């Protein structure tokens, strides 16, 4: 049972009842008999504090012990009982001290709370009185008068109080009685009192049995034999210079250090006046710790003393003369504390690991600093090394809390070595350090970050489904699942279809694959959004744009726009016989819907009626005379022209060009009836030539007049004084071009005009008209010069960002500034 606010002495009884004492300061005191068995319940500390066992367990209730590791007692967290865990020997713990107790600090965490717990150790009668020796010898002269006293060291009982020596009894005899006296400075000793004079002639030796009895239950006793030898007279006892010697000795004194020298004199002469010294009753420990010179009385240090173990020692010294007369003196040795113990740091509580998102000021641990020294030597200061985000906050008494000073970031530092240093205020100061390793646990505070701000991917057209397009990579500095990145495509549309029908992405690797085959002529490029999401809770994500560009392959053959393959006889061109070498007689116009070098075209004549008469420009398709036309040349000429692109592998197309050599159109029969058979008679040929020549002259005059009139009305259009018109034709629709290769998305008509000086001039201009005409706010753009030194005029027909372009080889003029292009 515990009593609060009340102090009373323990009641010693047969059962050694347990009591609890709670002081007015909130301290709790208990009492326990020594030698109690392990598991012995001292009291219920939880009930006395008003705290249930569940709370004790949750708050990690414990008794703080020193570094000896012996706590003797502990708390049963299940029941709240204070129980014995180690053998408690009061004599071993406290020696001769009357009051013996164990003092603990009971620690409760969350919040930190301390209670002082004092366990009083009750003495039990487990030791018998013991004399210093089995036989005490006296030599007493027969002349000793009645009432003479002979001191005898009392028996020693390790127990205290009522369990110590309480009485002495001397065996019945005719000469002596035994009385108990008090020593100077405390303590008791016995005296053998002569009640009847001795007569050596009647009895030379007297043996008496002295019994010492304690007051314990059950009672214990010890005996000693007193041997009295009757001698002649010695009437003086030794006298000490001081009855009590007090001396101070530093605890670091070395073995052999002189503690004090005691001195006693005897007025007798000879052997009766020679004094020898010896210890009174002392423990074995003191006999080892201090050495006494029997002749000089010098007491020296025989072992190492420790202030933290014992603060003072009391030695009983007896001086005996040659006849056995004895006197006593006490030596009190005060041990002086020096700073020989460094502070010791105990880690009482530590939270490890700690989340990186804890707020500054969060408590991560509790430490306790203890120093066995006393006074100023015991005072200690604690500090934490710099360059770590932690500090120490003093708490109650010698407790400190380790708290954070700023926000933590596991991605910058995953763990910390916190070195705590404690330094006392002694001279010289002593210090000790303790390092604790603290880990920082991860929280999902970082989204994935892509290695690039955007990605450009290129994939050739006609790819196989499943072809890798590109790979994206995002990194997340978080740990484990917080740093695991998964990829996905954000829903969007491409040409009216969901992007998921075009591409797929591997959720783990970030590899993007094509799900279908692409056609450069239908889809040039598109964009897709990729999201990278981590696996944290809640998950974090980031996006990146991937631009996919379809690259062209040579999968389209050139298409010939002029001459139109479907029209044959109506596309026959008339060549005057007066044409000289190098005269331009016609031009083959072709396009390729591919891009880049896949659309670079070259021309060659595969077969002709007269192989040596005509030649064709390799890159512009212009058909010119290779030599002067003679009368012997056949009037009907048929050329098979091959148009080939520059792709790998190359693709080609062919067309037929029909030429009629004549100076008079009237000489030529109906064009639709003209037959290019080789068996025409020579006369017929002459007639046709004459007719073509006349017709050509007449048509040339008419064309020149019309052109002059037309140019005066529309000055912004280029003027060509042509003579022969190449029949109009229409381009097929939907010729696409990316990045300057040329495209036509709608139908266009082209008229070609040859100048009167066509023998030496190049093909100058192509005028476009059709469904969509070029608006006045559009101009012709310029594309880079190709490998053959040719130029292209790009016709733009769209008002939005999708330009429609078409390349025409040859020397060109800009329609914007009406000046020739370089």
């Amino acid at each position: 049972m515990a009593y609060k606010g009340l102090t009373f002495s323990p009641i010693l009884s047969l059962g050694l009842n347990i009591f609890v004492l709670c002081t007015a300061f909130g301290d709790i005191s208990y009492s326990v008999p020594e030698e109690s068995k392990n598991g012995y319940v001292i009291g219920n500390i939880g009930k006395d504090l008003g705290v249930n066992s569940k709370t004790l367990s949750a708050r990690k209730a414990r008794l703080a012990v020193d570094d000896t590791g012996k706590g003797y007692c502990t708390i049963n967290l299940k029941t709240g009982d204070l129980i014995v865990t180690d053998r408690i020997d009061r004599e071993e713990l406290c020696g001769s001290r009357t009051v013996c107790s164990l003092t603990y600090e009971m620690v409760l965490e969350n919040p930190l709370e301390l209670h002082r717990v004092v366990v009083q150790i009750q003495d039990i009668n487990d030791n018998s009185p013991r004399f210093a020796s089995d036989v005490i010898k006296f030599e007493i002269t027969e002349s000793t008068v009645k009432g003479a006293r002979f001191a005898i060291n009392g028996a020693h009982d390790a127990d205290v109080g009522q369990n110590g020596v309480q009485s002495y009894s001397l065996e019945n005899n005719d000469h002596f009685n035994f009385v108990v006296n008090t020593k100077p400075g405390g303590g008791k000793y016995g005296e053998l009192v002569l009640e009847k004079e001795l007569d050596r002639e009647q009895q030379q030796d007297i043996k008496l049995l002295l019994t010492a009895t304690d007051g314990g239950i059950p009672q214990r006793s010890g005996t000693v034999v007193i041997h009295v030898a009757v001698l002649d007279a010695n009437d003086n006892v030794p006298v000490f210079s001081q009855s009590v010697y007090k001396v101070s000795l530093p605890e670091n004194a070395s073995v052999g250090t002189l503690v004090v020298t005691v001195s006693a004199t005897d007025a007798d002469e000879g052997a009766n006046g020679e004094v020898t010294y010896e210890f009174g009753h002392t423990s074995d420990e003191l006999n080892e710790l201090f050495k006494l010179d029997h002749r000089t009385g010098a007491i020296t240090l025989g072992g190492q003393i420790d202030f933290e173990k014992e603060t003072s020692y009391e030695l009983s010294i007896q001086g005996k003369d040659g006849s056995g007369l004895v006197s006593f003196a006490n030596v009190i040795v005060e041990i002086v504390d020096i700073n020989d113990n460094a502070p010791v740091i105990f880690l009482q509580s530590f939270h490890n690991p700690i989340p990186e998102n804890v707020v500054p000021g969060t408590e991560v641990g509790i430490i306790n600093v203890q120093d066995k020294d006393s006074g100023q030597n015991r005072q200690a200061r604690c500090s934490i090394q710099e360059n770590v985000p932690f500090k120490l906050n003093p708490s109650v008494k010698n407790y400190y809390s380790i708290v954070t000073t700023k926000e933590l970031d596991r991605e910058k530092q995953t763990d910390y070595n916190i070195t705590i240093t404690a330094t006392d205020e002694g001279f010289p100061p002593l210090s000790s350090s303790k390092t604790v390793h603290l880990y920082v646990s991860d929280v999902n505070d970082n989204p994935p970050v892509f290695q690039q701000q955007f990605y450009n991917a290129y994939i050739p057209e006609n790819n196989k489904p499943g072809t890798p397009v590109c790979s994206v990579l995002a990194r997340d500095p978080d740990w484990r699942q917080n740093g695991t990145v998964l990829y996905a495509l954000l829903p969007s549309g491409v040409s009216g279809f969901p992007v998921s029908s075009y591409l797929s992405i591997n959720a783990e690797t970030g590899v993007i694959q094509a799900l279908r085959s692409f056609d450069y002529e239908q889809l040039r490029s598109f964009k897709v959004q990729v999201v990278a999401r981590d696996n944290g809770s809640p998950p974090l994500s980031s996006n990146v744009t991937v631009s996919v560009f379809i690259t062209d392959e040579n999968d389209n053959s050139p298409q010939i726009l002029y001459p139109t393959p479907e029209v044959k006889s109506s596309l026959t061109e008339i060549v005057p016989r007066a044409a000289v070498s190098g005269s331009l007689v016609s031009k083959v116009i072709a396009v390729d819907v591919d891009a880049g070098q896949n659309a670079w075209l070259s021309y060659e004549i595969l077969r002709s009626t007269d192989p040596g008469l005509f030649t064709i420009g390799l890159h512009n398709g212009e058909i010119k005379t290779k030599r002067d036309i003679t009368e012997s040349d056949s009037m009907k000429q048929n050329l098979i022209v091959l148009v080939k692109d520059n792709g790998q592998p190359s693709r080609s197309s062919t067309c037929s060009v029909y030429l009629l050599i004549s100076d008079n159109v009237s000489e030529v029969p109906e064009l639709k009836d003209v037959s290019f058979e080789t068996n025409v008679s020579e006369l017929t040929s002459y007639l046709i030539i004459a007719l073509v020549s006349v017709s050509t002259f007449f048509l040339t005059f008419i064309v020149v007049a019309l052109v002059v009139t037309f140019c005066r009305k529309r000055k912004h259009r280029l003027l060509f004084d042509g003579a022969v018109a190449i029949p109009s034709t229409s381009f097929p629709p939907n010729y696409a071009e990316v990045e300057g290769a040329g495209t036509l998305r709608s139908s266009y008509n082209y008229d070609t005009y040859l100048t009167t000086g066509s023998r030496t001039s190049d093909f100058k201009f192509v005028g476009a008209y059709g469904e969509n005409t070029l608006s006045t706010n559009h101009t012709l753009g310029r594309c880079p010069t190709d490998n053959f030194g040719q130029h292209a005029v790009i016709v733009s027909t769209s008002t939005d960002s999708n330009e429609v372009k078409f390349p025409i080889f040859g020397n060109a003029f800009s329609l914007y500034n009406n000046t020739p292009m370089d």
Side-chain angles (χ1 to χ4, degrees), residues 48 173 187 345 529 535 611 678:
D48 297 332
N173 65 90
I345 301 171
Q529 290 281 330
N535 208 24
T678 57

Side-chain angles (χ1 to χ4, degrees), residues 616-650:
I616 190 169
L618 179 62
H619 303 300
N620 56 22
E622 294 180 348
I623 301 175
K624 297 181 180 180
T625 56
K626 195 174 183 180
R627 57 176 175 80
D628 295 345
I629 296 177
T630 62
E631 293 294 333
S632 61
D633 290 327
S634 174
M635 183 175 64
K636 293 178 291 183
Q637 296 289 333
N638 184 14
L639 307 180
I640 306 300
V641 177
L642 173 69
V643 183
K644 181 172 63 175
D645 61 28
N646 198 38
Q648 294 294 333
S650 177

Side-chain angles (χ1 to χ4, degrees), residues 167-468:
S167 63
Y168 292 88
S169 62
L170 184 65
E171 180 185 12
N172 291 331
N173 65 90
D174 297 329
H175 298 280
F176 294 95
N177 191 16
F178 189 84
V179 295
V180 179
N181 297 316
T182 302
K183 295 179 181 179
K188 293 183 179 183
Y189 68 97
E191 287 184 327
L192 195 64
V193 180
L194 184 61
E195 297 288 340
K196 181 181 179 181
E197 290 83 2
L198 299 176
D199 187 356
R200 181 177 176 279
E201 287 68 28
Q202 293 182 2
Q203 190 176 6
Q204 294 184 356
D205 297 291
I206 300 174
K207 292 184 179 180
L208 305 172
L209 183 65
L210 179 63
T211 303
T213 306
D214 63 24
I217 299 176
Q219 198 173 52
R220 292 174 179 266
S221 63
T223 61
V224 64
V225 174
I226 301 175
H227 183 199
V228 179
V230 182
L231 302 175
D232 289 336
N234 179 24
D235 55 356
N236 291 289
V237 296
V239 177
F240 281 94
S241 59
Q242 294 177 230
S243 59
V244 176
Y245 293 83
K246 290 185 178 181
V247 64
S248 296
L249 188 66
E251 63 174 324
N252 64 341
S254 59
V255 175
T257 300
L258 178 63
V259 179
V260 69
T261 300
V262 296
S263 176
T265 60
D266 193 315
D268 294 326
E269 295 180 354
N272 292 332
E274 293 181 0
V275 181
T276 58
Y277 306 92
E278 50 184 65
F279 285 120
H281 179 78
T282 57
S283 64
D284 294 338
E285 180 185 1
L286 290 179
N287 284 329
E288 292 293 331
L289 194 57
F290 297 97
K291 302 298 181 182
L292 174 62
D293 190 310
H294 297 290
R295 291 193 174 274
T296 64
I299 301 175
T300 57
L301 190 62
Q304 189 66 48
I305 56 177
D306 188 354
F307 174 85
E308 287 70 43
K309 185 176 180 181
E310 197 69 47
T311 60
S312 66
Y313 296 94
E314 184 173 351
L315 307 174
S316 177
I317 310 297
Q318 67 179 13
K320 181 188 295 186
D321 62 17
S323 297
L325 296 181
V326 177
S327 62
F328 294 92
N330 277 354
V331 176
I332 299 176
V333 181
E334 297 286 345
I335 308 302
V336 179
D337 180 47
I338 64 169
N339 192 28
D340 60 343
N341 290 280
V344 180
I345 301 171
F346 295 94
L347 188 63
Q348 299 291 340
S349 176
F350 195 58
H351 306 291
N352 196 10
I354 183 171
E356 63 176 320
N357 62 342
V358 296
V359 297
T362 299
E363 183 180 271
V364 300
I366 299 172
I367 64 167
N368 173 239
V369 180
Q370 298 180 9
D371 194 318
K372 293 182 179 180
D373 295 322
S374 63
Q376 196 73 10
N377 297 332
R378 185 183 182 89
Q379 303 301 318
R381 303 182 306 273
C382 284
S383 62
I384 287 183
Q385 66 177 18
E386 298 180 359
N387 72 1
V388 293
F390 302 94
K391 69 176 182 179
L392 286 177
N393 282 343
S395 186
V396 293
K397 297 183 70 173
N398 52 351
Y399 283 82
Y400 297 83
S401 296
I402 307 173
V403 298
T404 60
T405 59
K406 64 179 182 180
E407 294 181 351
L408 307 179
D409 189 348
R410 191 204 66 84
E411 287 68 46
K412 292 182 179 179
Q413 189 161 354
T414 60
D415 57 348
Y416 294 91
N417 284 323
I418 305 174
T419 301
I420 304 168
T421 302
T423 305
D424 62 27
E425 296 183 1
F427 183 82
L430 299 178
S431 64
S432 62
S433 297
K434 188 178 188 67
T435 300
V436 292
H437 195 71
L438 176 66
Y439 292 93
V440 181
S441 61
D442 184 54
V443 296
N444 192 28
D445 57 348
N446 290 281
V449 177
F450 284 94
Q451 286 189 326
Q452 298 177 211
Q453 293 182 349
F454 58 88
Y455 289 84
N456 290 333
Y458 297 88
I459 181 171
E461 63 174 330
N462 304 318
N463 59 288
K464 293 182 179 179
T467 301

Side-chain angles (χ1 to χ4, degrees), residues 443-727:
V443 296
N444 192 28
D445 57 348
N446 290 281
V449 177
F450 284 94
Q451 286 189 326
Q452 298 177 211
Q453 293 182 349
F454 58 88
Y455 289 84
N456 290 333
Y458 297 88
I459 181 171
E461 63 174 330
N462 304 318
N463 59 288
K464 293 182 179 179
T467 301
V469 177
C470 72
S471 177
V472 297
L473 180 62
R475 298 191 182 277
D476 193 322
D478 290 325
W479 196 45
R480 290 188 175 174
Q481 68 177 15
N482 293 334
T484 302
V485 180
L486 299 176
Y487 304 91
L489 298 177
L490 287 179
S492 61
V494 178
S495 299
F497 295 95
V499 71
S500 58
S501 64
Y502 287 86
L503 300 174
S504 69
I505 188 170
N506 188 303
E508 296 180 354
T509 64
V511 175
I512 301 176
Q513 293 179 318
L515 295 179
R516 62 165 63 179
S517 177
F518 294 105
D519 188 353
Y520 174 82
E521 287 71 40
Q522 293 182 2
L523 182 64
R524 301 294 178 88
S525 64
F526 61 92
K527 294 182 179 181
V528 61
Q529 290 281 330
V530 177
V531 59
R533 182 177 291 105
D534 61 29
N535 208 24
S537 179
L540 301 178
S541 63
S542 59
N543 299 342
V544 72
T545 299
V546 178
S547 298
V548 181
F549 297 95
I550 314 302
T551 58
D552 182 52
E553 286 191 344
N554 193 28
D555 58 345
N556 291 281
S557 299
Q559 296 190 23
I560 300 174
L561 305 180
Y562 182 85
T564 306
E566 290 77 8
V567 184
K568 294 184 179 180
S569 60
S570 61
L571 293 181
T572 301
E573 299 187 18
I574 300 176
V575 180
R577 286 190 177 275
V580 297
S581 176
S583 298
L584 177 65
V585 297
S586 184
K587 183 169 185 176
V588 175
I589 302 174
V591 296
D592 195 319
V593 294
D594 292 324
Q597 67 177 7
N598 294 331
W600 295 349
L601 304 180
S602 60
Y603 303 82
E604 64 175 294
I605 299 176
L606 289 181
R607 189 172 69 249
S608 64
T609 304
D610 191 345
L613 182 56
F614 298 100
T615 183
I616 190 169
L618 179 62
H619 303 300
N620 56 22
E622 294 180 348
I623 301 175
K624 297 181 180 180
T625 56
K626 195 174 183 180
R627 57 176 175 80
D628 295 345
I629 296 177
T630 62
E631 293 294 333
S632 61
D633 290 327
S634 174
M635 183 175 64
K636 293 178 291 183
Q637 296 289 333
N638 184 14
L639 307 180
I640 306 300
V641 177
L642 173 69
V643 183
K644 181 172 63 175
D645 61 28
N646 198 38
Q648 294 294 333
S650 177
R651 293 177 177 270
S652 62
S653 299
T654 59
C655 66
S656 297
V657 179
Y658 299 100
L659 301 175
L660 187 63
I661 301 176
S662 176
D663 287 330
N664 191 350
V665 178
S666 60
E667 297 177 358
V668 182
E670 293 290 336
L671 291 179
K672 63 181 180 179
D673 298 330
V674 174
S675 174
F676 284 84
E677 297 181 4
T678 57
N679 56 357
V680 179
S681 64
E682 184 178 355
L683 179 59
T684 305
S685 299
Y686 289 155
L687 292 176
I688 292 174
I689 291 172
L691 180 59
V692 169
S693 298
V694 173
S695 300
T696 300
F697 179 80
F698 177 76
L699 291 175
T700 300
F701 176 80
I702 297 299
V703 169
V704 169
L706 292 175
V707 169
V708 171
T709 303
F710 182 78
C711 289
R712 288 177 179 176
K713 292 181 178 180
R714 299 188 65 181
K715 293 183 179 180
H716 64 282
R717 297 186 59 181
L718 297 177
L719 177 61
F720 295 87
D721 52 344
V724 180
I726 300 175

Side-chain angles (χ1 to χ4, degrees), residues 106-119:
M106 177 181 172
V107 182
L108 294 174
E109 294 185 11
N110 298 321
L112 178 62
E113 184 178 347
L114 298 179
H115 293 276
R116 187 169 180 265
V117 179
V118 179
V119 180

